[in-house]
Amino acid sequence: MPQPFVVVPRGAAAPTRPRRTPPDHPALASLRPYLADPDVTDVFINGDGALFVDRGDGARPVEGWSAEPDAARALAVASIALGGRHLDDATPCADVRWEGGIRVHAVLPPISCAGALVSIRLPAPERPSLDDLGRAGMFDAATASRLRALVANRVNLLVTGATGAGKTTLLAALLGEAAAAERIVTIEDVAELRIDHPHHVRLEARQPNLEGAGGVTLARLVREALRMRPDRLVVGECRGEEVRELLTALNTGHDGGAGTVHASGIRDVPARLEALGALAGWDGRTVARQVVSAIGAVIHVGRADGSRRVLGIARPVLAGDGWELEEASDFEGGS
């Protein structure tokens, strides 16, 4: 996300962003300058031992940095171990979360065709508010007012966009606008949402162990969350059949909930949800009825002119046996 605009008195130095504090582990020593850099959003180690870093303008190679195959494998194993999971030949792929919301994914050969792969997703060290995002150019004043109205009126929200478009950042800022007396319960496959709110309860799914035991699914966590008296129930990123859990949760009478879904454009959202619903065993008609009942507004974000922007806000409506999105200028009621 671009650095928020801050008024600086003439002649004064521009404020510096706080640096991250990555885990203190010897295997990460060569990555520490990039992990700590507040402008870096992603760090990638490829199978050939090359390092790529994204500072918001695309992944760029780091000249002079390389890792031998054994060193890259050791770094991948250590990175996953720091998140409490195991990476080896029997479990060659793993996804974990470090403290501070840093998300790490690693893959070992032979799943990776040319050496260990490590992908590290780095959240901004700040927790930007809606005001911060507005100053950064994500939306104008009129859109900011509409977004605040959606939260105040407890409309169920679906934030959509491509990878890295700012879905999680915007959702966290929106939830930060909720009243301090409200209890927010978030359910995620890997916990990434960091909300500036005094009453935020986080639940994270757990993968089964090598014997296939001990797993805790999103569906199970939704059922647990409903017993925790949430004022706002949030199911994080949906990539597959967990869309069933998102829509089911938002259809339980709990207004003000939210979730995120990948979609390349706002017009693609209906087809995307229908595809995810099919993975959950739902037909198109069922998906349509569930979406229109559960979701009050879809907020689509994407990159435009080199920065992240809110590109559209729409309301799901039934259309024949399916559904579509229609633009709406006001959201006075709940979902």
Side-chain angles (χ1 to χ4, degrees), residues 1 128-130 133-134 138-139 143 147 151 157-160 165-177 193 260 298-302 308-313:
M1 184 189 75
S129 65
L130 276 186
L133 296 182
M138 196 172 199
F139 41 76
T143 301
L147 294 174
V151 177
L157 305 176
L158 182 66
V159 181
T160 63
K167 299 186 297 297
T168 300
T169 299
L170 177 60
L171 179 56
L174 289 168
L175 293 171
E177 294 286 317
L193 277 168
T260 70
V298 174
I299 305 169
H300 189 74
V301 296
R308 297 177 175 92
R309 303 279 181 83
V310 171
L311 300 179
I313 304 176

Side-chain angles (χ1 to χ4, degrees), residues 44-87:
F44 306 105
I45 298 175
N46 291 345
D48 58 2
L51 178 69
F52 283 74
V53 171
D54 190 343
R55 290 184 170 85
D57 58 351
R60 311 283 184 177
V62 176
E63 299 297 335
W65 195 102
S66 64
E68 296 296 325
D70 288 346
R73 181 186 178 96
L75 195 155
V77 171
S79 297
I80 296 301
L82 285 169
R85 295 192 63 191
H86 195 63
L87 188 71

Side-chain angles (χ1 to χ4, degrees), residues 160-247:
T160 63
T163 300
K167 299 186 297 297
T168 300
T169 299
L170 177 60
L171 179 56
L174 289 168
L175 293 171
E177 294 286 317
E182 293 182 342
R183 176 176 170 88
I184 301 173
V185 180
T186 59
I187 303 162
E188 299 177 85
D189 186 37
V190 176
E192 293 184 280
L193 277 168
R194 300 180 303 145
I195 304 169
D196 188 11
H197 191 276
H199 200 164
H200 175 203
V201 178
R202 308 168 74 194
L203 300 177
E204 183 178 66
R206 187 173 69 185
Q207 299 296 320
N209 59 23
L210 292 177
E211 288 74 35
V216 181
T217 65
L218 288 175
R220 165 77 182 277
L221 291 181
V222 168
R223 293 194 296 271
E224 299 296 334
L226 291 173
R227 300 185 180 102
M228 299 169 69
R229 214 223 73 181
D231 293 304
R232 293 182 185 265
L233 186 62
V234 180
V235 179
E237 184 178 354
C238 294
R239 292 176 177 268
E241 62 182 19
E242 59 266 21
V243 71
R244 175 182 53 210
E245 275 60 65
L246 168 65
L247 296 177

Side-chain angles (χ1 to χ4, degrees), residues 119-143:
S119 305
I120 303 176
R121 191 73 182 276
L122 298 158
E126 309 94 345
R127 297 187 183 187
S129 65
L130 276 186
D131 287 336
D132 294 329
L133 296 182
R135 285 192 290 267
M138 196 172 199
F139 41 76
D140 58 20
T143 301

